[in-house]
């Protein structure tokens, strides 16, 4: 009898934990008036960076302000300076591109401000907010259009996928790796 009581308590306890998790992780999804369904949901992360040109230009404060206004939570933030070797690791995917030397020299030319950001759909929404890679082709009011100088010195970085955000997030904030995956 004692065992079955303990079993019952364990089952009820487990059910409560599952219900609590579901409340935190499930949200309604579906058009207004349409058939809404519950889907599993966890906030997404992205790695954002104020590049050396924008730090030098005094735009860090405006970029952070806009970041919060647009609903991103700043999970972690630091100002640091990449060595040339670190810039080469960070941009390793571009190592065979003609602009690799200019890019890595630029990225190690002065301090950067890196931010780990969280929001629903963080990767895509940050990319939309910063705009196209080349500031002259970026939409009005995007960060790159506002603050970018040219195709290399384009003011801001943003991860291009959730998988990249995890790699880049752990590059700058290795202590937070467990909260990213
Ligand atoms: P992204 O930053 O928009 O993701 P990527 O293609 O990943 O763009 O390129 C990384 C960075 O390399 C760019 O942000 C920019 O600083 C630089 N870059 C990209 N394409 C060119 C180019 O054609 N000429 C010079 N620099 C470039
Ligand atoms: Mg990229």
């Amino acid at each position: 009898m004692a065992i079955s009581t303990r079993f019952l308590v364990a089952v009820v306890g487990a059910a409560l934990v599952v219900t609590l998790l579901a409340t935190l992780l499930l949200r309604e999804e579906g058009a207004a008036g349409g058939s809404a369904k519950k889907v599993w949901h966890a906030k997404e992360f992205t790695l954002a960076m104020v590049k050396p040109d924008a730090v030098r230009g005094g735009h860090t404060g405006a970029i952070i302000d806009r970041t919060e206004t647009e609903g991103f939570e700043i999970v972690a933030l630091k100002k640091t300076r990449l060595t040339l070797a670190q810039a080469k690791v960070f941009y390793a995917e571009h190592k065979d591109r003609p602009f690799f030397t200019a890019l890595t020299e630029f990225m190690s030319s002065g301090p950067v401000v890196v931010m780990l950001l969280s929001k629903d759909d963080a990767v895509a929404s940050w990319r939309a907010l910063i705009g196209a890679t080349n500031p002259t082709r970026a939409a009005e009011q995007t960060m790159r259009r506002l603050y970018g100088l040219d195709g290399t010195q384009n003011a801001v970085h943003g991860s291009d996928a959730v998988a990249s955000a995890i790699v880049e997030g752990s590059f700058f904030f290795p202590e937070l790796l467990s909260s990213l995956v």
Side-chain angles (χ1 to χ4, degrees):
M1 181 59 89
I3 289 174
S4 64
T5 306
R6 230 177 286 158
F7 177 73
L8 210 66
V9 169
V11 168
V12 171
L16 281 173
V17 170
V18 169
T19 310
L20 180 67
L21 278 176
T23 313
L24 292 173
L25 294 174
L26 284 173
R27 64 174 175 172
E28 295 282 348
E29 195 168 82
S35 58
K37 60 175 181 173
K38 296 260 189 186
V39 294
W40 286 104
H41 161 72
K43 276 244 163 83
E44 197 172 283
F45 292 99
T46 194
L47 193 281
M49 184 179 357
V50 184
K51 293 185 175 185
D53 58 324
V55 173
R56 269 193 289 273
H59 304 304
T60 304
I63 289 169
I64 292 174
D65 188 33
R66 181 90 185 273
T67 301
E68 290 198 307
T69 306
E70 299 281 347
F72 291 87
E73 181 195 346
I74 301 172
V75 177
L77 179 152
K78 75 174 156 197
K79 188 172 191 176
T80 184
R81 181 171 177 166
L82 293 170
T83 63
L84 182 60
Q86 286 172 325
K88 286 179 179 174
V89 172
F90 187 79
Y91 280 114
E93 65 172 305
H94 296 307
K95 66 179 172 22
D96 298 323
R97 307 289 289 275
F99 57 81
F100 187 66
T101 300
L103 172 63
T104 51
E105 284 177 356
F106 158 60
M107 289 303 296
S108 55
S109 68
V112 294
V113 173
V114 279
M115 298 184 284
L116 186 64
L117 303 178
S118 165
K119 191 185 179 188
D120 292 342
D121 210 17
V123 169
S125 36
W126 182 255
R127 296 283 301 193
L129 179 58
I130 67 177
T133 304
N134 191 315
T136 59
R137 285 195 281 275
E140 294 283 342
Q141 297 308 315
T142 57
M143 291 181 174
R144 283 170 164 172
R145 179 64 171 264
L146 289 171
Y147 307 120
L149 301 177
D150 57 42
T152 302
Q153 302 184 81
N154 56 359
V156 198
H157 167 82
S159 309
D160 63 4
V162 171
S164 322
I166 293 168
V167 173
E168 295 174 1
S170 28
F171 181 90
F172 284 107
F173 302 102
E175 70 280 12
L176 298 179
L177 179 61
S178 59
S179 43
L180 291 172
V181 290

